[in-house]
Amino acid sequence: MEEEEIACRLLMKLLRLRAWGAKHISESNLQKGFPQQARGKIVLKVAEELRREGLLYKRPSSHDYQWSLVWERRTEIEIRVAKLLQPPQI
């Protein structure tokens, strides 16, 4: 899996769970649903890149980091996810 595809799938997962702002998902659950070779450092690296771009929030908690989508950037997030859902051009 390419990093761009992982980023889109990660955003799509958070969209499907409606993890905006105060509603969040823990870092251990963030990696679930990805192929075994993509779990761990690759998914977390992509999530950190999305956080630096301003698309994700990362908050500390007592046991794990919590991740959520940034509401103010929702149109950009939806456009990025739509690219993944479009069939490839032949």
Side-chain angles (χ1 to χ4, degrees):
M1 274 185 139
E2 295 180 22
E3 287 188 11
E4 184 61 30
E5 185 180 356
I6 291 173
C8 288
R9 288 183 184 270
L10 192 57
L11 292 172
M12 188 167 57
K13 178 179 183 173
L14 291 167
L15 270 173
R16 196 173 54 245
L17 294 171
R18 296 183 182 132
W20 296 100
K23 186 168 184 211
H24 49 262
I25 184 170
S26 70
E27 193 168 76
S28 58
N29 289 331
L30 193 66
Q31 303 170 36
K32 292 182 181 178
F34 287 95
Q36 193 67 32
Q37 67 270 18
R39 286 187 189 178
K41 295 186 179 189
I42 296 174
V43 174
L44 294 179
K45 181 181 132 191
V46 170
E48 277 295 328
E49 289 173 7
L50 291 172
R51 185 188 64 78
R52 281 189 221 109
E53 290 177 29
L55 300 176
L56 295 180
Y57 284 132
K58 178 182 177 184
R59 298 179 209 170
S61 70
S62 61
H63 64 284
D64 210 355
Y65 284 105
Q66 305 294 322
W67 293 85
S68 62
L69 297 166
V70 177
W71 178 255
E72 292 80 20
R73 307 281 304 270
R74 69 184 175 277
T75 54
E76 185 178 338
I77 291 169
E78 290 167 353
I79 290 170
R80 206 158 171 183
V81 169
K83 287 180 188 177
L84 177 69
L85 299 176
Q86 289 178 350
Q89 300 293 327
I90 299 175

